[in-house]
Amino acid sequence: MNSLEFRFEDYINIVQRRKWLILSVILGTMVIATVLCFVLPESFRSTTTVLVEGQKIPESYVKSVVEGTIEGRLSSIQQVVMSRSLLSQIAEEFKLYRSDMSPEDRESVLSSMRKSIKVTTAETGHAKGRNTIEAFSISFAHKDPAIAMRITERFASQFIEQNLRIREQIVEGASDFLEQELRMAKERLEEQERSISSFKSQYMGELPQQMEANLRSLDRLQMDLNATRENMQTATNRVALLEKEVNEAASSTTTQMTNGSASGNQSRGGDPLITRLADLERTLTTLSAEYRETYPDIVQTRQEIEAVKSQLAIKYGVTKDDVTPGSSKLIDPMLRDLMRQRDEAKNEVGLLKERLRRLGEQVKAYEGRVERTPAREQDLMILIRDSDNMQKNYQSLLEKKLNARVAESLEKRQKGEQFRILDPANLPVTPESPNRPLILVGGLVVGCGLGFGSAFGLEMLRPAFRRSEDAEIVLGLPVLASIPAFSSVFSGSESMRRAAFGSREQRKLLPGSQSDSLSGQLVERGAEFESASWNLVSKWSPRSMVAEQFRVAATRLSLMTSEQRNTVVLVTSALVGEGKTSTAVNLSYILAQELDKKTLLIDCDLKRPMVHSYTNIPATPGLVDYLVGEQPLEACIKKMEDVPLWVLPTGTSGRGVLELSKIRQLSRVIQDLRPRFDYILIDAPPILPLADLNVLSSMADLMILVIRAGRTGRDVVDKAYRSLRSSCPAGIVLTGVDSVSTPYYMYQYGTQGTGTSRHA
């Protein structure tokens, strides 16, 4: 929440409270910075300027092979120059090594040299939308100015030499690289040409340039195919005609043989053996249709047929295989001629069929060529395209190779970009380091940062309540008053002390001093302030701002309990040292003196009883004496002079351990005393260390929680308050509020007028 954040006045308060910590840290850093100013060795830096000269021949005539920015080349040259080998040579040359140096010390010298080298570029030109460097500076620092100047000159010469060497290496490397690439490109081009030639040989007849010839050949084959088909049809018709004539002649011959056999004609055409053979053939055909081959009639018939064939073969002088019923060798010459013509016609038909098949295969082959030509054309185009690209790449590499040779000649003749010393290395007079003003300012800045950071860090590690708003927001309780630190009453100007303690006659009435040196004595007694009767500020300094804030708390307390008579108020705190006893004593005094209320103050802090010391009354007898039965109650209650305020101290046994059962008897005592007093204030022990408060809180009508501002952590107070099981209302009194957080007009209030100030 915003109200819990640090405000400007909070930072001022922190600075005032932690001023000695801040000052000690600042002083320590300044001492360290001062020592460094005199301890650090002096170092002189020599600087030389190197000019970057452009190419002497225009690039429109000769284009340089060395590409890249000057920054990149400078970085590369710097890495080479700062290498261990070159730095060792320079260190040996200028006797930076001692003879008794160990390898570790030599490495330390080289590392120091690397740190002492500085290369600074200056962008002074523009080319193609980017900055270009026309000059750069090289500097080196050393404790001896003469050595610094000589080493700077040596580094400048190294930069110039390395630039020439790097440029020559670049052009030579480019030339060699292009030579290798050109050779490889030529080999790839020749390989591609061989691939094209092999492709053409492999797919001869299917190439795109042969497409027209294939189409013409396909047309010619189609014409031959059609003519062959016509010739075949003619030959087929002739075979059918001859077959018909042969059949007719054979039928005529058979008829003549049949007639001749019946008439007993013995002519050749009516040979009875032929007739017998024909009859046996028909009988065999009939029997084979009805019976198996092993049937006896079939076997006998076959034997007769073989016998007849043998007779006919002998008779006609032919072989046995040529003897058939229709054999041309057994017929007449005319029928034989017809059969010969028929056989020739059949042979012609067979030849035409074979030609037709070959023509069909050729047509299919040419059609396949035509169909595959687009695919071959695509593959050939890819090969030719790759060959053209390789040819272009080869030509490009050839041109680059020629340019590289010219650029190599340009660099060898030192006509390209070069470094030239523009401003020689100077002999430094003023040391570069240590920069004493900068070290002192840095020490002051670091000291302030560490001092203020430590102070604010300590505050943030354990945040405390600084203002009344913080306590109200965190705990949800109303704040009765914000009591300034008591030290503000006994310090400050003479006018403020006079306003706080009144006139000389009034100061004579204060305990511990009867002279005008009261304030000085109070300062001397500051260590005993918290344990002395000076804590009753409302009595000894009634016009102070502290007393005025106690009046505010008393007034608000009376307003909170206006509807209730005979109120019991419990005053406690989270930890020891919060100022609860001082708050209880001053509130009791204000209620009795200022508001004219009969008030009883009971000291229930049995571990650390302080009420009797603050009120300057006897400690015995007291509450413990009454609870253990040693003294009557009236003897334990003591009244302060001229004020309706009574005090019940702890007694002589107050520092001992009292049983909780005895403390519970206090409830009966309070009930007996309640009708006699308007207010009964109980100075209770702290909440966290002891277990008594839960018993005491049950006896109270109102609880006042005292918190030390800027000291007690918020988590501690919240934990203490949440641990109480009391249901009575509560309020907060914030003590020890710093004067910075208190408005100035509140200080002025007590300085106006004379007499004792009253709460309005």
Side-chain angles (χ1 to χ4, degrees), residues 174-184 401 405:
S175 180
D176 294 341
F177 173 77
L178 291 174
E179 183 71 30
Q180 295 177 3
E181 289 293 320
L182 189 63
R183 184 170 59 255
M184 293 172 61
K401 179 64 174 62
R405 288 180 179 176

Side-chain angles (χ1 to χ4, degrees), residues 252-276 315-316:
S252 175
T253 302
T254 302
T255 302
Q256 291 177 3
M257 286 190 296
T258 302
N259 295 331
S261 176
S263 62
N265 190 0
Q266 297 297 323
S267 66
R268 184 180 178 185
D271 193 342
L273 290 175
I274 294 174
T275 304
R276 177 62 179 167
K315 181 178 181 178
Y316 288 99

Side-chain angles (χ1 to χ4, degrees), residues 152-165:
T152 303
E153 293 174 349
R154 180 61 184 276
F155 277 129
S157 63
Q158 285 291 334
F159 267 80
I160 295 174
E161 293 175 4
Q162 291 298 328
N163 178 58
L164 292 174
R165 185 174 301 156

Side-chain angles (χ1 to χ4, degrees), residues 203-416:
Y203 299 105
M204 183 61 67
E206 299 178 6
L207 301 177
Q209 58 268 26
Q210 296 175 333
M211 181 73 171
E212 187 66 27
N214 289 334
L215 291 175
R216 289 197 299 270
S217 298
L218 186 61
D219 292 339
R220 179 177 54 77
L221 289 174
Q222 287 290 349
M223 295 174 61
D224 292 345
L225 185 62
N226 293 332
T228 303
R229 285 174 179 171
E230 292 177 358
N231 293 333
M232 183 177 175
Q233 185 64 34
T234 302
T236 303
N237 295 335
R238 185 166 175 269
V239 169
L241 180 60
L242 291 173
E243 282 285 350
K244 182 179 179 182
E245 292 178 355
V246 168
N247 291 334
E248 290 177 354
S251 298
S252 175
T253 302
T254 302
T255 302
Q256 291 177 3
M257 286 190 296
T258 302
N259 295 331
S261 176
S263 62
N265 190 0
Q266 297 297 323
S267 66
R268 184 180 178 185
D271 193 342
L273 290 175
I274 294 174
T275 304
R276 177 62 179 167
L277 179 62
D279 292 339
L280 290 173
E281 289 287 348
R282 285 193 296 272
T283 301
L284 180 61
T285 302
T286 302
L287 291 174
S288 297
E290 295 180 3
Y291 304 101
R292 296 181 179 181
E293 295 293 330
T294 59
Y295 189 71
D297 293 343
I298 294 177
V299 174
Q300 184 179 0
T301 302
R302 288 185 180 279
Q303 293 176 355
E304 291 179 0
I305 290 173
E306 291 296 327
V308 172
K309 284 185 176 182
S310 299
Q311 295 175 8
L312 288 173
I314 295 171
K315 181 178 181 178
Y316 288 99
V318 297
T319 61
K320 188 176 180 179
D321 294 334
D322 293 336
V323 178
T324 58
S327 176
S328 59
K329 295 182 180 181
L330 302 179
I331 58 178
D332 57 1
M334 181 178 179
L335 179 60
R336 187 181 302 162
D337 184 57
L338 289 175
M339 293 176 68
R340 181 184 58 78
Q341 292 180 10
R342 182 196 63 185
D343 293 338
E344 290 177 355
K346 285 182 178 181
N347 290 335
E348 184 180 359
V349 169
L351 293 175
L352 290 174
K353 284 183 178 181
E354 180 63 23
R355 178 176 175 77
L356 188 64
R357 183 186 63 79
R358 290 198 306 271
L359 289 175
E361 290 177 354
Q362 292 179 4
V363 168
K364 289 182 179 179
Y366 277 95
E367 287 178 349
R369 290 182 181 182
V370 173
E371 291 176 355
R372 290 189 295 272
T373 296
R376 305 305 177 212
E377 182 180 8
Q378 185 68 24
D379 295 339
L380 184 61
M381 287 178 60
I382 293 174
L383 292 174
I384 294 175
R385 181 193 62 194
D386 294 341
S387 177
D388 293 341
N389 292 335
M390 291 180 181
Q391 183 69 30
K392 293 178 181 178
N393 182 43
Y394 179 78
Q395 292 296 332
S396 175
L397 289 173
L398 186 60
E399 294 176 0
K400 291 179 180 179
K401 179 64 174 62
L402 296 176
N403 293 334
R405 288 180 179 176
V406 176
E408 184 177 0
S409 176
L410 179 73
E411 295 297 336
K412 289 182 178 180
R413 296 181 183 180
Q414 297 186 2
K415 299 297 182 179

Side-chain angles (χ1 to χ4, degrees), residues 12 15 37 47 74 117 188 242 268 288 329 410 435 538 624 737 745 750:
I12 299 298
V15 171
C37 290
T47 305
L74 282 178
I117 301 173
R188 289 195 296 268
L242 291 173
R268 184 180 178 185
S288 297
K329 295 182 180 181
L410 179 73
N435 191 341
S538 300
V624 177
V737 178
Y745 62 83

Side-chain angles (χ1 to χ4, degrees), residues 598-625:
K598 294 181 64 176
T599 307
L600 174 63
L601 176 59
I602 303 176
D603 190 355
C604 288
D605 192 352
L606 304 180
K607 295 294 188 299
R608 300 183 60 183
M610 296 298 296
V611 172
H612 64 280
S613 299
Y614 291 178
T615 57
N616 199 17
I617 63 172
T620 59
L623 176 62
V624 177
D625 301 297

Side-chain angles (χ1 to χ4, degrees), residues 407-428:
E408 184 177 0
S409 176
L410 179 73
E411 295 297 336
K412 289 182 178 180
R413 296 181 183 180
Q414 297 186 2
K415 299 297 182 179
E417 184 182 86
Q418 293 181 353
F419 293 167
R420 181 173 62 85
I421 295 178
L422 180 65
D423 188 9
N426 65 316
L427 181 64

